[in-house]
Amino acid sequence: MSNLDWAESRLAEIELLTSMFPTQEELDMTDQLALAELREYVEGTASTDTPPQSRPQFLIKQRMDTAGMERTDVILSCAYPPEYPNVLPEITVRCTGLSRAQQTQLHTELNAYLLENCQGDVCVLAALEWVKDNLQLFTNRSLSAPKKESPAPQPREMFSRLWIYSHHIYNKVKRKNILEWSKELGLSGFSMPGKPGIVCVEGPRSACEDFWSRVKVLTWKKIMIRHREDIPLDHQGKDSTVVESIDSLRKFTGFEEAVFAPHGNRGNHMDLGQLYQFLNEKGCCDVFQMYFGIEGRQ
């Protein structure tokens, strides 16, 4: 079918619906301009031969009898895509007696029926008849109380410590973001600007993941999580007591930017000896070898 054939089919269906439902209480054309453009195109009085891209829209209002709900009001909201009836119209059914889940299921089954039986032909009346014949099924379903689902198990609360490595950290905005985000998320640790750039954050796992998701999308030459530690809060510690608090696992107090006597031509290379001493004081000297592949010395 051509664009004109489709347009003629749309107009013919609207005229049929208007004759069947003559009052505005039954059929309400909500887009008169789109209807006028469709009519002008079909009658050849439009200023252009291009088919209109506007979408005639209307409401069909019916009062239907059901066993579960007497004389319930049902509204079919219809919109014609420019390719209708080559494609299905957009039809939404509104019924105050149905829950949102039931209306969603009704739409799914209605669209499946139209797709199987009405593809390529006008189908608003077929949709209306299907709703009349099947609405009872959905109201019956509403009488059966849904089974209560058992609550999903809560995820195990974890403490995390992320050791992040970057080729370098020079940019003042990035340094400011790192400090502000760690404070906002309640994380402790440190960042070492310069080359290489090192960031350690520790705290609730969700907050650490949030921090990493923000940092990694910034523009970096290279950035990665070199090492991570995840510890369940109910694990048994070395002294046979059960660890229950995030703060009891922290090795840092607050979050700071640590600068270790930079040296070199550009003044960007940190003194790794001072970094090792800093990590050793915090009980984290084992990660030095993970970063640099060498054992540190006091």
Side-chain angles (χ1 to χ4, degrees), residues 200-226:
C200 172
V201 288
E202 60 180 7
R205 179 167 62 176
S206 59
C208 289
E209 296 290 355
D210 191 349
F211 178 87
W212 171 240
S213 68
R214 300 186 194 185
V215 168
K216 69 180 180 180
V217 298
L218 302 176
T219 303
W220 301 96
K221 183 174 181 179
K222 179 180 181 181
I223 192 167
M224 66 176 69
I225 296 178
R226 179 60 62 85

PDB file of all heavy atoms in Angstrom, residues 200-226:
ATOM      1  N   CYS A 200      44.585   5.910  47.962  1.00  0.00           N
ATOM      2  CA  CYS A 200      44.038   4.826  48.781  1.00  0.00           C
ATOM      3  C   CYS A 200      42.775   5.329  49.456  1.00  0.00           C
ATOM      4  O   CYS A 200      42.793   6.393  50.092  1.00  0.00           O
ATOM      5  CB  CYS A 200      45.052   4.379  49.833  1.00  0.00           C
ATOM      6  SG  CYS A 200      44.383   3.196  51.030  1.00  0.00           S
ATOM      7  N   VAL A 201      41.675   4.592  49.286  1.00  0.00           N
ATOM      8  CA  VAL A 201      40.432   4.931  49.987  1.00  0.00           C
ATOM      9  C   VAL A 201      39.954   3.695  50.737  1.00  0.00           C
ATOM     10  O   VAL A 201      40.088   2.570  50.258  1.00  0.00           O
ATOM     11  CB  VAL A 201      39.329   5.424  49.020  1.00  0.00           C
ATOM     12  CG1 VAL A 201      39.648   6.800  48.497  1.00  0.00           C
ATOM     13  CG2 VAL A 201      39.107   4.453  47.866  1.00  0.00           C
ATOM     14  N   GLU A 202      39.384   3.919  51.912  1.00  0.00           N
ATOM     15  CA  GLU A 202      38.877   2.814  52.718  1.00  0.00           C
ATOM     16  C   GLU A 202      37.594   3.245  53.406  1.00  0.00           C
ATOM     17  O   GLU A 202      37.401   4.421  53.731  1.00  0.00           O
ATOM     18  CB  GLU A 202      39.914   2.371  53.746  1.00  0.00           C
ATOM     19  CG  GLU A 202      40.315   3.481  54.715  1.00  0.00           C
ATOM     20  CD  GLU A 202      41.338   3.046  55.746  1.00  0.00           C
ATOM     21  OE1 GLU A 202      41.861   1.922  55.647  1.00  0.00           O
ATOM     22  OE2 GLU A 202      41.614   3.849  56.671  1.00  0.00           O
ATOM     23  N   GLY A 203      36.691   2.250  53.581  1.00  0.00           N
ATOM     24  CA  GLY A 203      35.399   2.515  54.198  1.00  0.00           C
ATOM     25  C   GLY A 203      34.384   1.503  53.703  1.00  0.00           C
ATOM     26  O   GLY A 203      34.752   0.414  53.236  1.00  0.00           O
ATOM     27  N   PRO A 204      33.093   1.798  53.791  1.00  0.00           N
ATOM     28  CA  PRO A 204      32.072   0.871  53.289  1.00  0.00           C
ATOM     29  C   PRO A 204      32.311   0.557  51.819  1.00  0.00           C
ATOM     30  O   PRO A 204      32.677   1.435  51.027  1.00  0.00           O
ATOM     31  CB  PRO A 204      30.765   1.638  53.493  1.00  0.00           C
ATOM     32  CG  PRO A 204      31.069   2.652  54.548  1.00  0.00           C
ATOM     33  CD  PRO A 204      32.503   3.024  54.367  1.00  0.00           C
ATOM     34  N   ARG A 205      32.102  -0.703  51.443  1.00  0.00           N
ATOM     35  CA  ARG A 205      32.389  -1.107  50.067  1.00  0.00           C
ATOM     36  C   ARG A 205      31.604  -0.288  49.059  1.00  0.00           C
ATOM     37  O   ARG A 205      32.133   0.109  48.021  1.00  0.00           O
ATOM     38  CB  ARG A 205      32.096  -2.596  49.861  1.00  0.00           C
ATOM     39  CG  ARG A 205      32.358  -3.075  48.433  1.00  0.00           C
ATOM     40  CD  ARG A 205      32.379  -4.577  48.311  1.00  0.00           C
ATOM     41  NE  ARG A 205      31.108  -5.181  48.663  1.00  0.00           N
ATOM     42  CZ  ARG A 205      30.870  -6.499  48.554  1.00  0.00           C
ATOM     43  NH1 ARG A 205      31.825  -7.310  48.136  1.00  0.00           N
ATOM     44  NH2 ARG A 205      29.690  -6.989  48.895  1.00  0.00           N
ATOM     45  N   SER A 206      30.319  -0.022  49.341  1.00  0.00           N
ATOM     46  CA  SER A 206      29.496   0.731  48.399  1.00  0.00           C
ATOM     47  C   SER A 206      30.062   2.131  48.173  1.00  0.00           C
ATOM     48  O   SER A 206      30.058   2.644  47.053  1.00  0.00           O
ATOM     49  CB  SER A 206      28.051   0.822  48.910  1.00  0.00           C
ATOM     50  OG  SER A 206      28.009   1.452  50.179  1.00  0.00           O
ATOM     51  N   ALA A 207      30.584   2.754  49.243  1.00  0.00           N
ATOM     52  CA  ALA A 207      31.149   4.095  49.106  1.00  0.00           C
ATOM     53  C   ALA A 207      32.447   4.050  48.310  1.00  0.00           C
ATOM     54  O   ALA A 207      32.716   4.935  47.490  1.00  0.00           O
ATOM     55  CB  ALA A 207      31.385   4.703  50.483  1.00  0.00           C
ATOM     56  N   CYS A 208      33.266   3.015  48.524  1.00  0.00           N
ATOM     57  CA  CYS A 208      34.511   2.873  47.759  1.00  0.00           C
ATOM     58  C   CYS A 208      34.211   2.669  46.278  1.00  0.00           C
ATOM     59  O   CYS A 208      34.882   3.239  45.408  1.00  0.00           O
ATOM     60  CB  CYS A 208      35.327   1.704  48.302  1.00  0.00           C
ATOM     61  SG  CYS A 208      36.057   1.991  49.933  1.00  0.00           S
ATOM     62  N   GLU A 209      33.201   1.851  45.979  1.00  0.00           N
ATOM     63  CA  GLU A 209      32.832   1.614  44.576  1.00  0.00           C
ATOM     64  C   GLU A 209      32.311   2.894  43.932  1.00  0.00           C
ATOM     65  O   GLU A 209      32.571   3.167  42.757  1.00  0.00           O
ATOM     66  CB  GLU A 209      31.777   0.506  44.493  1.00  0.00           C
ATOM     67  CG  GLU A 209      32.250  -0.857  44.976  1.00  0.00           C
ATOM     68  CD  GLU A 209      33.270  -1.504  44.054  1.00  0.00           C
ATOM     69  OE1 GLU A 209      33.550  -0.943  42.984  1.00  0.00           O
ATOM     70  OE2 GLU A 209      33.797  -2.568  44.424  1.00  0.00           O
ATOM     71  N   ASP A 210      31.565   3.669  44.711  1.00  0.00           N
ATOM     72  CA  ASP A 210      31.054   4.946  44.201  1.00  0.00           C
ATOM     73  C   ASP A 210      32.220   5.882  43.881  1.00  0.00           C
ATOM     74  O   ASP A 210      32.250   6.530  42.819  1.00  0.00           O
ATOM     75  CB  ASP A 210      30.123   5.576  45.245  1.00  0.00           C
ATOM     76  CG  ASP A 210      29.338   6.763  44.706  1.00  0.00           C
ATOM     77  OD1 ASP A 210      29.651   7.236  43.596  1.00  0.00           O
ATOM     78  OD2 ASP A 210      28.405   7.222  45.398  1.00  0.00           O
ATOM     79  N   PHE A 211      33.185   5.957  44.784  1.00  0.00           N
ATOM     80  CA  PHE A 211      34.370   6.798  44.562  1.00  0.00           C
ATOM     81  C   PHE A 211      35.102   6.363  43.292  1.00  0.00           C
ATOM     82  O   PHE A 211      35.451   7.196  42.449  1.00  0.00           O
ATOM     83  CB  PHE A 211      35.296   6.703  45.775  1.00  0.00           C
ATOM     84  CG  PHE A 211      36.569   7.489  45.642  1.00  0.00           C
ATOM     85  CD1 PHE A 211      36.616   8.828  46.000  1.00  0.00           C
ATOM     86  CD2 PHE A 211      37.728   6.888  45.145  1.00  0.00           C
ATOM     87  CE1 PHE A 211      37.790   9.556  45.871  1.00  0.00           C
ATOM     88  CE2 PHE A 211      38.900   7.610  45.012  1.00  0.00           C
ATOM     89  CZ  PHE A 211      38.925   8.943  45.375  1.00  0.00           C
ATOM     90  N   TRP A 212      35.323   5.067  43.140  1.00  0.00           N
ATOM     91  CA  TRP A 212      36.048   4.558  41.964  1.00  0.00           C
ATOM     92  C   TRP A 212      35.279   4.840  40.670  1.00  0.00           C
ATOM     93  O   TRP A 212      35.879   5.210  39.654  1.00  0.00           O
ATOM     94  CB  TRP A 212      36.316   3.074  42.126  1.00  0.00           C
ATOM     95  CG  TRP A 212      36.868   2.401  40.906  1.00  0.00           C
ATOM     96  CD1 TRP A 212      36.322   1.368  40.212  1.00  0.00           C
ATOM     97  CD2 TRP A 212      38.099   2.706  40.231  1.00  0.00           C
ATOM     98  NE1 TRP A 212      37.118   1.013  39.161  1.00  0.00           N
ATOM     99  CE2 TRP A 212      38.219   1.814  39.146  1.00  0.00           C
ATOM    100  CE3 TRP A 212      39.111   3.647  40.439  1.00  0.00           C
ATOM    101  CZ2 TRP A 212      39.309   1.840  38.263  1.00  0.00           C
ATOM    102  CZ3 TRP A 212      40.190   3.677  39.558  1.00  0.00           C
ATOM    103  CH2 TRP A 212      40.279   2.791  38.487  1.00  0.00           C
ATOM    104  N   SER A 213      33.956   4.705  40.705  1.00  0.00           N
ATOM    105  CA  SER A 213      33.164   4.962  39.500  1.00  0.00           C
ATOM    106  C   SER A 213      33.262   6.423  39.071  1.00  0.00           C
ATOM    107  O   SER A 213      33.191   6.728  37.875  1.00  0.00           O
ATOM    108  CB  SER A 213      31.701   4.572  39.733  1.00  0.00           C
ATOM    109  OG  SER A 213      31.079   5.442  40.668  1.00  0.00           O
ATOM    110  N   ARG A 214      33.434   7.334  40.026  1.00  0.00           N
ATOM    111  CA  ARG A 214      33.582   8.751  39.686  1.00  0.00           C
ATOM    112  C   ARG A 214      34.985   9.049  39.158  1.00  0.00           C
ATOM    113  O   ARG A 214      35.148   9.769  38.172  1.00  0.00           O
ATOM    114  CB  ARG A 214      33.310   9.625  40.917  1.00  0.00           C
ATOM    115  CG  ARG A 214      31.925   9.487  41.517  1.00  0.00           C
ATOM    116  CD  ARG A 214      31.755  10.514  42.639  1.00  0.00           C
ATOM    117  NE  ARG A 214      30.589  10.232  43.475  1.00  0.00           N
ATOM    118  CZ  ARG A 214      30.171  11.027  44.455  1.00  0.00           C
ATOM    119  NH1 ARG A 214      30.802  12.161  44.714  1.00  0.00           N
ATOM    120  NH2 ARG A 214      29.114  10.705  45.192  1.00  0.00           N
ATOM    121  N   VAL A 215      35.996   8.493  39.823  1.00  0.00           N
ATOM    122  CA  VAL A 215      37.378   8.823  39.478  1.00  0.00           C
ATOM    123  C   VAL A 215      37.763   8.240  38.118  1.00  0.00           C
ATOM    124  O   VAL A 215      38.416   8.905  37.309  1.00  0.00           O
ATOM    125  CB  VAL A 215      38.330   8.311  40.582  1.00  0.00           C
ATOM    126  CG1 VAL A 215      39.782   8.360  40.127  1.00  0.00           C
ATOM    127  CG2 VAL A 215      38.149   9.137  41.846  1.00  0.00           C
ATOM    128  N   LYS A 216      37.376   7.015  37.848  1.00  0.00           N
ATOM    129  CA  LYS A 216      37.889   6.340  36.651  1.00  0.00           C
ATOM    130  C   LYS A 216      37.406   6.963  35.346  1.00  0.00           C
ATOM    131  O   LYS A 216      38.022   6.754  34.293  1.00  0.00           O
ATOM    132  CB  LYS A 216      37.510   4.850  36.681  1.00  0.00           C
ATOM    133  CG  LYS A 216      36.029   4.569  36.512  1.00  0.00           C
ATOM    134  CD  LYS A 216      35.759   3.073  36.546  1.00  0.00           C
ATOM    135  CE  LYS A 216      34.272   2.771  36.380  1.00  0.00           C
ATOM    136  NZ  LYS A 216      34.002   1.313  36.413  1.00  0.00           N
ATOM    137  N   VAL A 217      36.280   7.717  35.385  1.00  0.00           N
ATOM    138  CA  VAL A 217      35.764   8.308  34.143  1.00  0.00           C
ATOM    139  C   VAL A 217      36.418   9.645  33.823  1.00  0.00           C
ATOM    140  O   VAL A 217      36.153  10.217  32.761  1.00  0.00           O
ATOM    141  CB  VAL A 217      34.229   8.475  34.211  1.00  0.00           C
ATOM    142  CG1 VAL A 217      33.556   7.134  34.353  1.00  0.00           C
ATOM    143  CG2 VAL A 217      33.820   9.408  35.354  1.00  0.00           C
ATOM    144  N   LEU A 218      37.267  10.147  34.720  1.00  0.00           N
ATOM    145  CA  LEU A 218      38.030  11.349  34.399  1.00  0.00           C
ATOM    146  C   LEU A 218      39.092  11.001  33.353  1.00  0.00           C
ATOM    147  O   LEU A 218      39.371   9.830  33.099  1.00  0.00           O
ATOM    148  CB  LEU A 218      38.682  11.920  35.666  1.00  0.00           C
ATOM    149  CG  LEU A 218      37.726  12.293  36.818  1.00  0.00           C
ATOM    150  CD1 LEU A 218      38.527  12.757  38.026  1.00  0.00           C
ATOM    151  CD2 LEU A 218      36.739  13.357  36.383  1.00  0.00           C
ATOM    152  N   THR A 219      39.671  12.006  32.747  1.00  0.00           N
ATOM    153  CA  THR A 219      40.662  11.768  31.695  1.00  0.00           C
ATOM    154  C   THR A 219      42.011  11.429  32.316  1.00  0.00           C
ATOM    155  O   THR A 219      42.610  12.255  33.023  1.00  0.00           O
ATOM    156  CB  THR A 219      40.803  13.005  30.798  1.00  0.00           C
ATOM    157  OG1 THR A 219      39.516  13.329  30.261  1.00  0.00           O
ATOM    158  CG2 THR A 219      41.766  12.736  29.662  1.00  0.00           C
ATOM    159  N   TRP A 220      42.475  10.196  32.075  1.00  0.00           N
ATOM    160  CA  TRP A 220      43.745   9.729  32.627  1.00  0.00           C
ATOM    161  C   TRP A 220      44.594   9.127  31.517  1.00  0.00           C
ATOM    162  O   TRP A 220      44.062   8.528  30.576  1.00  0.00           O
ATOM    163  CB  TRP A 220      43.518   8.655  33.695  1.00  0.00           C
ATOM    164  CG  TRP A 220      42.680   9.080  34.851  1.00  0.00           C
ATOM    165  CD1 TRP A 220      41.344   8.880  35.004  1.00  0.00           C
ATOM    166  CD2 TRP A 220      43.113   9.769  36.030  1.00  0.00           C
ATOM    167  NE1 TRP A 220      40.904   9.396  36.192  1.00  0.00           N
ATOM    168  CE2 TRP A 220      41.974   9.946  36.856  1.00  0.00           C
ATOM    169  CE3 TRP A 220      44.342  10.240  36.475  1.00  0.00           C
ATOM    170  CZ2 TRP A 220      42.052  10.586  38.082  1.00  0.00           C
ATOM    171  CZ3 TRP A 220      44.418  10.874  37.705  1.00  0.00           C
ATOM    172  CH2 TRP A 220      43.280  11.043  38.490  1.00  0.00           C
ATOM    173  N   LYS A 221      45.903   9.242  31.657  1.00  0.00           N
ATOM    174  CA  LYS A 221      46.791   8.502  30.757  1.00  0.00           C
ATOM    175  C   LYS A 221      46.736   7.025  31.109  1.00  0.00           C
ATOM    176  O   LYS A 221      46.716   6.147  30.232  1.00  0.00           O
ATOM    177  CB  LYS A 221      48.229   9.026  30.864  1.00  0.00           C
ATOM    178  CG  LYS A 221      49.191   8.344  29.910  1.00  0.00           C
ATOM    179  CD  LYS A 221      50.569   8.987  29.946  1.00  0.00           C
ATOM    180  CE  LYS A 221      51.506   8.303  28.951  1.00  0.00           C
ATOM    181  NZ  LYS A 221      52.860   8.924  28.956  1.00  0.00           N
ATOM    182  N   LYS A 222      46.673   6.735  32.399  1.00  0.00           N
ATOM    183  CA  LYS A 222      46.549   5.359  32.877  1.00  0.00           C
ATOM    184  C   LYS A 222      46.064   5.395  34.306  1.00  0.00           C
ATOM    185  O   LYS A 222      46.571   6.175  35.116  1.00  0.00           O
ATOM    186  CB  LYS A 222      47.908   4.636  32.809  1.00  0.00           C
ATOM    187  CG  LYS A 222      47.885   3.197  33.311  1.00  0.00           C
ATOM    188  CD  LYS A 222      49.260   2.582  33.212  1.00  0.00           C
ATOM    189  CE  LYS A 222      49.261   1.128  33.694  1.00  0.00           C
ATOM    190  NZ  LYS A 222      50.618   0.528  33.630  1.00  0.00           N
ATOM    191  N   ILE A 223      45.064   4.565  34.623  1.00  0.00           N
ATOM    192  CA  ILE A 223      44.595   4.462  36.001  1.00  0.00           C
ATOM    193  C   ILE A 223      44.018   3.064  36.203  1.00  0.00           C
ATOM    194  O   ILE A 223      43.399   2.490  35.288  1.00  0.00           O
ATOM    195  CB  ILE A 223      43.548   5.547  36.341  1.00  0.00           C
ATOM    196  CG1 ILE A 223      43.301   5.587  37.860  1.00  0.00           C
ATOM    197  CG2 ILE A 223      42.249   5.327  35.589  1.00  0.00           C
ATOM    198  CD1 ILE A 223      42.537   6.812  38.332  1.00  0.00           C
ATOM    199  N   MET A 224      44.243   2.506  37.382  1.00  0.00           N
ATOM    200  CA  MET A 224      43.751   1.149  37.660  1.00  0.00           C
ATOM    201  C   MET A 224      43.690   0.939  39.164  1.00  0.00           C
ATOM    202  O   MET A 224      44.317   1.675  39.945  1.00  0.00           O
ATOM    203  CB  MET A 224      44.684   0.097  37.048  1.00  0.00           C
ATOM    204  CG  MET A 224      46.066   0.075  37.693  1.00  0.00           C
ATOM    205  SD  MET A 224      47.138  -1.233  37.073  1.00  0.00           S
ATOM    206  CE  MET A 224      47.431  -0.641  35.429  1.00  0.00           C
ATOM    207  N   ILE A 225      42.933  -0.078  39.570  1.00  0.00           N
ATOM    208  CA  ILE A 225      42.978  -0.555  40.953  1.00  0.00           C
ATOM    209  C   ILE A 225      44.095  -1.590  41.010  1.00  0.00           C
ATOM    210  O   ILE A 225      43.971  -2.686  40.448  1.00  0.00           O
ATOM    211  CB  ILE A 225      41.635  -1.160  41.394  1.00  0.00           C
ATOM    212  CG1 ILE A 225      40.533  -0.090  41.399  1.00  0.00           C
ATOM    213  CG2 ILE A 225      41.765  -1.789  42.777  1.00  0.00           C
ATOM    214  CD1 ILE A 225      39.157  -0.618  41.778  1.00  0.00           C
ATOM    215  N   ARG A 226      45.200  -1.238  41.645  1.00  0.00           N
ATOM    216  CA  ARG A 226      46.348  -2.150  41.699  1.00  0.00           C
ATOM    217  C   ARG A 226      46.098  -3.273  42.718  1.00  0.00           C
ATOM    218  O   ARG A 226      46.554  -4.393  42.543  1.00  0.00           O
ATOM    219  CB  ARG A 226      47.606  -1.356  42.051  1.00  0.00           C
ATOM    220  CG  ARG A 226      48.887  -2.165  42.158  1.00  0.00           C
ATOM    221  CD  ARG A 226      49.244  -2.887  40.867  1.00  0.00           C
ATOM    222  NE  ARG A 226      49.496  -2.005  39.748  1.00  0.00           N
ATOM    223  CZ  ARG A 226      50.666  -1.423  39.489  1.00  0.00           C
ATOM    224  NH1 ARG A 226      51.694  -1.597  40.295  1.00  0.00           N
ATOM    225  NH2 ARG A 226      50.817  -0.675  38.418  1.00  0.00           N
TER     226      ARG A 226
END
